[in-house]
């Protein structure tokens, strides 16, 4: 429990007056919803949760959200997990990779558990918060920041909190402009001239504007707590934030504001968007500005030696990280930690995830090769129609006598 | 006393070598190696990998800042965990530049408190990835006072201040001179690696009764080899003795040979280093890279052949780097040509500038320099 006792010191005409102990609570707690299955990522999320899927060579998707928290000065983070949490849990540890192991900070993994009230499986985003009320009460925040662990972006949540306070909002929703023809895939916010949300439409067929919800919310905790408890003590309809909580806030006339974000933001929930975001990530001029040392993206240390190119290596427009061994040709691709590419192989426009081994004379194009996958000699991994996916630890094109 | 407890001492008091400008601002133990490591990382990892729970790091006072900057709380090596005890001692030098003798009593005090049965003592000049667990076990099982670790090496791995040992037929060890003039170039010699395993009680007694002036703990143990019964243990893994610029250059370039790279960095023991949280290294459309090592965080637009490039370097279009070691945060501008050189940290090389050294004796560019005109070793043209 993070409660600080502060001795306030006042200087009055040279006289020092000590005020009594003032209890200061955690101002804002971040709750990262990381329990989603990510079914649309297919083989890549067969054994790991979507937020733990590797990204950009040395990161996992959730690193962006966690690093944003660190860089925004948030000290207390709860990560709600449910689906296949092992890889995610080991990645998170005690949060030390993101600096959450200090004396006044912490990262808590929140998994469903059984109790005398019955089992606490999470049925939706708002329900997951409801099931963790005990944890949130223990931290006792004034505001709660709800985040999802599956977006690639850099955002200062502190600015969003300042906006929330300035507007005296009860709920602030982060929004981003999306191309109007894609707007029907998102939850769309219709606002007045003061950025107050007056209408919310989930995946509208004919969107009235292009302000899409990013799934990032700041709530006044006591208000949200009351709304959730009231609902679950009756018919329990508050399952999702988008479908249930936001409409109910609007109906009851709460102050709901839209906070505009205009940086790089990518939902990586599908194979296509994951591949695309990785391809955009290669470009060093990318809006994410990864080389900005004032807003670093932190990740767990994997302890690997420097990467090594042999005499036969050829590499164009690509990102390479520690532990790689490269004897083949790499073009427009990302090679993650400890990837090995043997002689004669060609890799184009592909993402090779950590620990994968690519044999000799392999051709890979427009593909995602999963963690620790093995592609045997002379194999071709390419499809003209779609992004080819080789699942985690999957072995393809290996004839048995190669072992 | 806890029979499973082993304490370690890393002694850097008398670690100099002829590395000139490279060790002007840092102790030898802090020399960068293979893009992302420091020499000390290997010793710290050797200690941690052997489950040694108490570590005493002995450095000179001048080294304080660079040591603290790298090690900090020791988190990356697990030195901060509950059961581990980690002490850094920075020893003063007197007006003549010799170490003051106070360190011996500090070491004795540490060893008494460690309640360990066995103590491992080592220096930082010998670059190796050694599994100390079996050596500790062998030492426990016999009654010798000291176990001396050595490796058979050729003369290029030996400097004048090293100790060579002869293994006598009766199992005893005798010493011999290591001066280069007396060594046959093709012959192999038993190089004492300055790694000693002793019983803690024994070393406490030795140190307490030591009344001569001495520069390091290692020197005291070297003197004992002749006088007490010793076990010897031959190390067969990768070793580089770093004592001057050619040996440092050679050790780095060894990493470009896969067999040596694998033996040092892909053995069953990991080498830990300071975490940098750098972005992946970007290779542009025009980059050409051959037989080279890179750490993360760099941008490579030019040509790199047979070289080692550290973190956060920028190698611009048409710049060429051959047979060189580039330390962190270098900025190599367009059309620069660098061959047989070691660029220390934060060096800027201007457009079109040439830096060319000799094959075995590279040119050293000092930390933070800005090179605006050609630096060419004429003999090499």
């Amino acid at each position: 429990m993070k409660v600080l006792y502060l001795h306030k010191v006042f200087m009055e005409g040279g006289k020092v007056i000590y005020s009594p102990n003032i209890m200061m609570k955690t101002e804002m707690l971040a709750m990262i919803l990381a329990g989603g299955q990510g079914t649309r990522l297919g083989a890549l999320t067969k054994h790991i949760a979507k937020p733990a899927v590797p990204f950009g060579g040395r990161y996992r998707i959730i690193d962006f959200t966690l690093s944003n928290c660190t860089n925004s000065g948030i000290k207390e983070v709860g990560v709600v997990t449910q689906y296949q949490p092992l890889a995610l849990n080991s990645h998170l540890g005690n949060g030390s990779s993101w600096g959450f192991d200090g004396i006044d900070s912490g990262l808590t993994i929140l998994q469903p558990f059984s109790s005398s009230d019955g089992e606490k499986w999470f049925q939706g985003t708002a329900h997951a918060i409801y099931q963790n009320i005990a944890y949130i009460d223990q931290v006792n925040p004034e505001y709660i920041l709800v985040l999802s662990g599956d977006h690639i972006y850099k955002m200062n949540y502190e600015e969003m909190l300042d906006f929330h306070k300035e507007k005296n909002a009860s709920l602030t929703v982060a929004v981003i402009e999306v191309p109007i023809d894609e707007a029907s895939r998102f939850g769309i916010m219709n606002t007045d001239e003061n950025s107050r949300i007056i209408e919310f439409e989930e995946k509208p067929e004919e969107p009235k504007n292009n302000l899409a919800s990013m799934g990032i919310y700041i709530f006044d905790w006591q208000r949200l707590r009351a709304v959730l408890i009231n609902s679950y003590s009756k018919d329990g309809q508050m399952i999702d934030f988008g479908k249930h909580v936001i409409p109910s806030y609007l109906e009851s006339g709460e102050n709901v504001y839209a906070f505009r974000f205009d940086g790089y933001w990518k939902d990586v929930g599908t194979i296509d968007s994951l591949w695309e975001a990785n391809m955009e990530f290669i470009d060093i001029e990318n809006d994410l500005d990864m080389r900005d040392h004032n807003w670093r993206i932190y990740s767990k240390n994997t302890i690997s030696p420097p990467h090594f190119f042999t005499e036969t290596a050829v590499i164009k427009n690509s990102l390479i990280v520690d532990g790689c061994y490269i004897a083949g040709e790499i073009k427009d691709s990302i090679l993650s930690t400890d990837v090995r590419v043997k002689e004669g192989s060609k890799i184009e426009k592909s993402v090779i995830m950590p620990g994968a081994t690519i044999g000799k004379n392999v051709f890979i194009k427009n593909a995602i090769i999963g963690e620790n996958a093995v592609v045997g000699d002379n194999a071709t991994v390419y499809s003209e129609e779609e992004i080819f996916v080789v699942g985690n630890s999957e072995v393809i094109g290996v004839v048995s006598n190669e072992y | 006393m806890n029979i499973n407890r082993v304490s370690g001492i890393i002694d850097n008091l008398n670690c100099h070598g002829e590395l000139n400008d490279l060790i002007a601002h840092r102790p030898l133990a802090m020399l960068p190696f293979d893009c992302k490591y420091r020499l000390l990382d290997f010793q710290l990892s050797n200690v941690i990998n052997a489950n040694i729970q108490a570590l005493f790091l002995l450095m000179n006072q001048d080294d304080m800042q660079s040591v603290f900057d790298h090690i900090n709380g020791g988190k990356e090596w697990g030195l901060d965990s509950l059961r581990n005890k980690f002490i850094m001692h920075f020893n003063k030098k007197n007006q003549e530049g010799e170490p003051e003798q106070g360190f011996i009593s500090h070491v004795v005090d540490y060893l008494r408190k460690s309640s360990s049965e066995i103590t491992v003592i080592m220096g930082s000049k010998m670059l190796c990835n050694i599994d100390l667990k079996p050596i500790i076990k062998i030492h426990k099982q016999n009654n010798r006072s000291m176990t001396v670790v050595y490796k058979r090496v050729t003369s290029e791995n030996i400097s004048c201040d090293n100790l060579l040992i002869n293994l006598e037929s009766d199992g005893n060890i005798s010493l011999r001179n290591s001066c280069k003039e007396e060594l046959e170039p093709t012959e192999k010699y038993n190089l004492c690696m300055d790694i000693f395993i002793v019983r803690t009680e024994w070393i406490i007694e030795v140190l307490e009764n030591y009344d001569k002036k001495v520069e390091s703990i290692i020197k005291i143990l070297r003197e004992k080899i002749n006088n007490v019964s010793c076990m010897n243990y031959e190390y067969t893994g990768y070793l580089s003795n770093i004592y001057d610029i050619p040996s440092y250059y050679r050790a780095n370039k060894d990493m470009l040979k896969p067999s040596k790279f694998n033996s040092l960095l892909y053995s069953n023991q990991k080498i830990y280093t300071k975490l940098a949280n750098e972005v992946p290294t970007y290779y542009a459309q025009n980059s050409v890279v051959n037989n080279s090592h890179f750490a993360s965080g760099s941008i490579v637009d030019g040509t790199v052949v047979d070289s080692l490039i550290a973190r956060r370097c920028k190698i611009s279009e048409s710049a060429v780097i051959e047979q060189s070691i580039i330390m962190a945060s270098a900025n190599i501008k367009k059309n620069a040509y660098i061959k047989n050189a070691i660029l220390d940290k934060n060096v800027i090389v201007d457009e079109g500038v040439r830096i060319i050294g000799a094959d075995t004796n590279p040119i050293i560019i000092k930390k933070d320099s800005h090179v605006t005109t050609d630096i060419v070793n004429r003999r090499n043209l």
Side-chain angles (χ1 to χ4, degrees), chain A residues 58 304 307 311 316-317, chain B residues 36 276 278 282-283 285 290:
Chain A
R58 60 173 300 263
S304 294
H307 52 275
E311 301 274 357
K316 305 285 174 200
N317 188 39
Chain B
K36 62 179 285 195
E278 271 306 334
Y282 174 74
Y283 297 86
Q285 198 62 37
N290 257 323

Side-chain angles (χ1 to χ4, degrees), chain B residues 53-331:
Chain B
Q53 290 183 318
L55 175 62
F56 191 89
L57 180 60
L58 194 47
M59 305 292 299
N60 292 308
Q61 200 172 36
D62 310 344
D63 311 335
M64 194 144 24
Q65 190 181 331
S66 62
V67 171
F68 264 106
D69 181 34
H70 187 67
I71 299 180
N72 223 315
K75 197 175 185 173
E76 280 94 342
W77 299 268
L79 296 166
D80 63 341
S81 77
L82 184 65
R83 294 276 292 157
N84 285 357
K85 187 162 181 61
F86 173 47
I87 297 171
M88 287 193 250
H89 180 78
F90 295 93
N91 199 53
K92 277 189 208 147
K93 281 183 176 171
N94 63 19
Q95 282 168 341
E96 285 83 50
E98 294 161 341
E100 285 190 1
Q101 299 297 296
F103 66 90
I104 293 183
S105 63
H106 285 279
V107 171
V108 169
D109 190 39
Y110 152 77
L111 289 172
R112 282 195 193 290
K113 286 178 185 160
S114 71
S115 67
S116 61
E117 189 199 1
I118 303 287
T119 299
V120 178
I121 297 126
M122 61 172 108
S124 289
K125 271 170 123 173
M126 305 281 175
L127 175 69
C128 62
N129 182 351
I130 185 169
D131 185 356
L132 294 165
K133 292 188 293 288
I135 316 177
I136 293 168
K137 194 169 178 188
I138 291 169
H139 185 81
K140 273 182 172 176
Q141 286 163 352
N142 70 67
N143 285 320
R144 306 290 178 101
S145 303
M146 186 154 79
T147 296
V148 179
V149 182
Y150 71 95
K151 181 174 167 74
R152 285 171 59 72
V153 296
T154 51
S155 63
E156 63 168 16
N157 251 320
I158 300 169
S159 79
C160 277
D161 61 355
N162 289 136
L163 187 69
L164 298 182
I165 57 176
N166 281 335
L167 306 174
E168 306 294 341
S169 49
D170 58 5
N172 283 332
I173 297 178
S174 68
L175 307 181
R176 60 166 295 166
N177 198 320
S178 67
C179 262
K180 273 242 154 93
E181 297 77 52
E182 294 171 29
L183 303 175
E184 294 284 336
T186 49
E187 193 81 8
K188 282 199 166 181
Y189 298 92
N190 298 327
L191 171 68
C192 169
M193 289 167 63
D194 289 341
I195 297 178
F196 304 97
I197 289 98
V198 297
R199 280 180 203 279
T200 306
E201 281 174 3
W202 179 81
I203 181 78
I204 290 175
E205 200 190 311
V206 167
L207 293 176
E208 281 192 318
N209 294 320
Y210 201 85
D211 49 10
K212 285 178 282 177
K213 206 172 163 191
V214 72
E215 322 65 303
S216 66
I217 302 286
I218 284 177
K219 272 275 157 68
I220 298 174
L221 290 166
R222 277 187 180 188
E223 281 175 20
K224 286 284 163 194
I225 295 180
N226 260 341
N227 310 333
V228 299
S229 68
C230 292
M231 272 278 299
N232 56 71
Y233 181 95
E234 184 180 352
Y235 166 69
T236 56
Y238 178 86
L239 173 92
S240 248
N241 178 11
I242 296 185
Y243 57 91
D244 63 1
I245 287 169
S247 65
Y248 172 71
Y249 184 55
R250 203 167 46 231
N252 273 281
K253 287 182 60 186
D254 273 353
M255 294 301 104
L256 300 177
K257 296 167 190 143
S259 64
K260 292 185 171 172
F261 177 45
N262 290 341
S263 129
L264 184 65
L265 287 160
Y266 280 99
S267 80
N268 61 352
Q269 302 198 114
K270 282 188 172 180
I271 302 297
Y272 302 89
T273 188
K274 187 182 174 186
L275 173 62
N277 267 306
E278 271 306 334
V279 293
T281 289
Y282 174 74
Y283 297 86
Q285 198 62 37
N286 300 317
S287 68
V288 177
V289 286
N290 257 323
N291 193 37
S292 296
H293 268 199
F294 292 83
S296 47
S298 296
I299 299 177
V300 183
D301 229 331
T303 300
V304 178
V305 180
D306 303 326
S307 298
L308 299 104
I309 314 292
R311 286 162 170 162
R312 293 181 303 278
C313 290
K314 186 169 186 340
I315 296 158
S316 307
E317 216 181 308
S318 317
V320 176
I321 295 171
E322 291 174 7
Q323 310 276 352
S324 295
I325 300 168
I326 312 292
M327 295 185 193
S329 306
N331 183 355

